[in-house]
């Protein structure tokens, strides 16, 4: 359904599918298992979840929760979105560089926040209007993302919207949502197929297989290893 649509509309379609699966038995079983282990518990508060630096026409955005491998939780997501809005509103920002502090670029959604949303409608609104993927897609021609370490779930779904993605040699990419009874929910069904085609994207979505930097480059999921 999403293939012929623009990125924003495609994200809407993805979120409707994601919301449907959140009401399914598979996701429910995964959540019950975590709750039986005493989780999910809300993560600790973040002081500076995102760092900003401006050098002339370049805006650098650094994901800054290294103690959680920059998991895409509420605090980091909201700060990331606010940072991207600077470039949307300020035409003098000609280049946006996004990277991550610590050992990994982004370990995907913060699993300790799963199951805390009050209802599916609110979750859909936040995913589609409050997520970073839509803004990276809007700013794509000005955005470069620099990956390293683990790039899981949202950690590759959002970068794949950018015009240029540079991976460190240690980059490891994975889309593990199938193990939770879900599909990518941060824009991956819109961004990843547009880079590598529907069959390779489906392979990643269905198997949760890991790609190293070399394979990601050969497939076109990243543009350079550096």
């Amino acid at each position: 359904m999403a293939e012929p649509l623009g990125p924003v509309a495609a994200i809407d379609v993805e979120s409707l599918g994601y919301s449907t699966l959140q009401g399914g038995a598979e996701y429910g079983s995964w959540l019950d298992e975590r709750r039986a282990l005493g989780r999910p518990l809300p993560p600790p508060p973040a002081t500076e979840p995102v760092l900003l630096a401006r050098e002339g026409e370049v805006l650098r955005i650094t994901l800054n929760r290294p103690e959680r491998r920059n998991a895409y939780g509420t605090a980091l997501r909201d700060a990331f979105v606010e940072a991207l809005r600077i470039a949307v509103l300020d035409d003098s920002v000609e280049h946006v560089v996004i990277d991550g502090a610590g050992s990994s670029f982004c370990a995907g959604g913060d699993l300790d926040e799963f199951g805390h949303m009050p209802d599916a409608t609110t979750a859909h609104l936040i995913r589609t209007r409050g997520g970073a993927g839509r803004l990276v897609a809007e700013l794509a021609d000005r955005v470069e993302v620099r990956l390293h370490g683990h790039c899981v779930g949202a950690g590759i779904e959002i970068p794949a919207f950018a015009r240029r993605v540079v991976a460190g040699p240690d980059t490891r990419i994975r889309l593990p949502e199938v193990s939770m009874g879900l599909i990518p929910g941060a824009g991956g069904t819109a961004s990843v197929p547009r880079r590598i085609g529907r069959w390779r994207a489906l392979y990643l979505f269905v198997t949760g297989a890991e790609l190293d930097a070399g394979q990601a480059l050969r497939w076109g999921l990243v543009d350079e290893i550096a």
Side-chain angles (χ1 to χ4, degrees):
M1 290 174 62
E3 194 169 45
L5 302 177
V8 173
I11 289 171
D12 286 348
V13 172
E14 173 187 280
S15 183
L16 291 171
Y18 191 95
S19 294
T20 301
L21 291 170
Q22 281 185 312
E26 295 86 355
Y27 175 70
S29 296
W30 176 83
L31 203 56
D32 287 343
E33 289 176 8
R34 286 184 62 78
R35 286 171 174 159
L37 296 172
R39 304 181 80 172
L41 299 173
T47 304
E48 286 187 287
V50 166
L51 301 177
L52 291 176
R54 180 75 185 264
E55 298 177 5
E57 72 279 3
V58 179
L59 177 67
R60 181 183 294 273
I61 302 172
T62 300
L63 310 184
N64 187 44
R65 296 209 74 181
E67 76 283 0
R68 300 186 72 79
R69 294 193 300 169
N70 299 320
Y72 188 66
T74 301
L76 187 143
R77 180 199 66 216
D78 291 349
F80 190 15
V81 167
E82 287 303 309
L84 290 166
R85 283 180 178 151
I86 294 172
V88 172
L89 297 171
D90 187 351
D91 290 340
S92 70
V93 176
E94 297 181 7
H95 194 54
V96 179
V97 177
I98 302 169
D99 60 12
S103 63
S104 295
F105 172 73
C106 175
D110 195 325
L111 300 186
D112 288 347
E113 293 189 1
F114 280 48
H116 287 288
M117 196 59 63
D119 57 76
T121 303
T122 302
H124 173 67
L125 182 64
I126 292 172
R127 273 194 305 273
T128 57
R129 298 300 179 265
R134 180 171 59 94
L135 294 179
V136 173
E138 180 179 343
L139 295 164
D141 288 343
R142 289 191 269 165
V143 175
E144 175 181 317
V145 185
R146 298 177 181 174
L147 307 179
H148 73 283
H150 292 285
C151 303
V152 181
I156 187 59
E157 297 174 51
I158 295 169
F161 282 115
R163 176 187 61 83
R164 183 165 179 76
V165 181
V166 180
D170 64 339
T171 298
R172 295 291 182 271
I173 292 169
R174 194 161 55 89
L175 290 154
E177 290 87 354
V178 67
S179 65
M180 296 175 270
L182 298 171
I183 59 172
T189 65
S191 63
V192 174
R194 283 165 167 76
R195 275 187 163 265
I196 65 174
R198 66 160 66 174
W199 297 115
R200 285 173 170 170
L202 181 64
Y203 170 76
L204 296 181
F205 299 158
V206 171
T207 66
E210 182 178 275
L211 291 186
D212 61 20
Q215 188 66 57
L217 178 65
R218 287 189 290 273
W219 281 11
L221 193 51
V222 305
D223 302 300
E224 181 185 353
I225 298 174

